[in-house]
Amino acid sequence: MNIFIRFFSFLVIAIVLTVSSKSFAQAPTAQSFEPSGGKGPGLLFVSGQGGPKLYVAVAKQFAAEGFHVSLIDGNDVFKPNNAGQPSFVAAISALQSSPKTQPGKIAVVGSSLGGGATMTYASRMPDQVAAAVVYYPYTAFIQKPDAFAKQIKVPTLVLAAVKDTYKDCCLIDMTRKLAAAAPKPMLQVVEYPQAEHNFNLEGPNMRQADADDALKRALAHLRAGLSVAAKSK
């Protein structure tokens, strides 16, 4: 009997610890970029596989436009079997609770791997996220595009590089399949015919005209989503 009681006690403790670890996930390490006004709508920026350092310049562009930007590593939140989802949710909560963030829903931007995370998590969180933008998103993991697209509940803008063949991670064909299957107001795609992976980052694939256009469209999309969210309070 004592052995059974001890076994049962250990089992209960294990369950409690498991639930607790999922419920109280820590937010990943983040770099903060504040707007010049000192406070602005929150914007979670999720990096690609290369890490946050590649995206600092772009994050600063959004901060210069009035957003309070929290830049996180996509590798910390996009893991097999959605194991990184609690950390992603924690990152949103941390950003929303910051005194530098205006109350209400936030915006989310993701690039490459971070774009995959954004479409998997943020685009399905209409209670926390007003709008999402993804640059050349990682989509190679998607096996059923119709089912995936139909789960998009947040207005999402895809800035797609038509000539992107980097590791076959972010091919235009999958983006087009998602666009065809998604509810029309929820997923918009802008294609850049000559663009390759990282077309908005400094480096050999940089296309300044496309990068400028993409930023302009991203800002318009995010502001529109935040405006709708504010009016619906």
Side-chain angles (χ1 to χ4, degrees):
M1 179 65 70
N2 289 337
I3 294 175
F4 174 77
I5 293 174
R6 283 200 296 270
F7 174 77
F8 183 75
S9 299
F10 285 134
L11 181 61
V12 170
I13 292 171
I15 292 173
V16 169
L17 289 175
T18 300
V19 172
S20 298
S21 65
K22 291 182 178 179
S23 303
F24 300 99
Q26 287 189 337
T29 301
Q31 293 176 258
S32 180
F33 302 94
E34 299 173 6
S36 58
K39 190 171 186 176
L43 189 156
L44 183 68
F45 197 117
V46 191
S47 84
Q49 191 175 39
K53 63 183 182 296
L54 299 179
Y55 301 89
V56 168
V58 181
K60 287 181 176 179
Q61 288 179 322
F62 283 99
E65 294 291 337
F67 290 90
H68 175 212
V69 181
S70 178
L71 173 61
I72 65 173
D73 191 335
N75 297 287
D76 289 338
V77 295
F78 202 48
K79 300 177 180 180
N81 301 315
N82 292 338
Q85 185 173 11
S87 293
F88 189 93
V89 174
I92 289 180
S93 297
L95 177 58
Q96 287 179 313
S97 65
S98 168
K100 299 295 183 180
T101 300
Q102 292 176 356
K105 296 181 182 181
I106 67 160
V108 180
V109 176
S111 290
S112 191
L113 182 72
T118 298
M119 294 183 75
T120 302
Y121 303 142
S123 294
R124 303 176 187 180
M125 300 174 65
D127 292 337
Q128 293 85 21
V129 180
V133 172
V134 291
Y135 288 80
Y136 36 87
Y138 170 53
T139 56
F141 68 97
I142 300 174
Q143 297 180 344
K144 297 179 180 179
D146 287 7
F148 185 93
K150 285 174 178 149
Q151 295 184 70
I152 296 176
K153 309 292 185 187
V154 171
T156 301
L157 174 64
V158 182
L159 302 167
V162 173
K163 291 190 174 182
D164 190 342
T165 57
Y166 178 71
K167 296 183 179 180
D168 288 342
C169 72
C170 317
L171 300 177
I172 190 64
D173 287 350
M174 179 57 76
T175 295
R176 289 170 177 165
K177 289 178 182 178
L178 293 171
K184 295 304 177 216
M186 289 296 135
L187 187 64
Q188 302 175 48
V189 178
V190 176
E191 296 186 7
Y192 294 95
Q194 303 303 317
E196 299 180 51
H197 204 71
N198 291 345
F199 71 83
N200 65 325
L201 304 182
E202 289 295 334
N205 291 348
M206 174 72 164
R207 292 181 60 84
Q208 191 63 57
D210 289 347
D212 291 344
D213 183 78
L215 178 62
K216 180 180 177 181
R217 291 176 184 272
L219 290 168
H221 179 77
L222 297 178
R223 285 169 176 157
L226 288 164
S227 177
V228 170
K231 291 176 182 176
S232 63
K233 282 184 180 180

